[in-house]
Amino acid sequence: MTGLAGSGTVSLESADHPGYYLRHKNFEVWLEKNDGTTTFASDATFYQRAGLADSAGISYESYNYAGRCIRHYNYLLYVQTPSTATDKGDATFYGQ
């Protein structure tokens, strides 16, 4: 599958709310309905990378902010630049 902004990328669409995607706004990650704009497509598109803390996992780097990855912190998701081992662990996910 190709991300909203183009080939070589992914967009994360809700399974139970089709047309709603994870996107970042002010570096916070939100689930929002695709409004069809270029800005939305860019904010809802990521590069899938080998996990930063474990190459068996996956990290998602922002399409429009190089070096910033989806990271969980205090039970919320953000798009941040991971620098410490903890940050990299928080930015590594596993598929099921």
Side-chain angles (χ1 to χ4, degrees):
M1 182 173 185
T2 299
L4 295 173
S7 65
T9 64
V10 297
S11 292
L12 304 170
E13 184 177 12
S14 172
D16 61 343
H17 294 319
Y20 284 74
Y21 293 84
L22 290 183
R23 63 91 55 106
H24 67 82
K25 284 192 324 190
N26 299 316
F27 304 112
E28 298 174 342
V29 178
W30 294 82
L31 179 66
E32 292 189 346
K33 185 174 173 75
N34 183 356
D35 64 11
T37 65
T38 302
T39 298
F40 185 95
S42 294
D43 290 349
T45 300
F46 302 89
Y47 295 105
Q48 187 172 307
R49 307 288 193 208
L52 296 173
D54 176 1
S55 62
I58 298 168
S59 291
Y60 296 97
E61 182 181 10
S62 172
Y63 172 80
N64 53 355
Y65 288 94
R68 289 182 175 259
C69 297
I70 294 177
R71 173 192 179 203
H72 71 84
Y73 178 76
N74 275 349
Y75 304 100
L76 298 172
L77 293 175
Y78 298 91
V79 174
Q80 298 179 336
T81 304
S83 56
T84 68
T86 298
D87 296 350
K88 292 175 182 178
D90 291 348
T92 301
F93 301 88
Y94 298 93
Q96 296 207 23

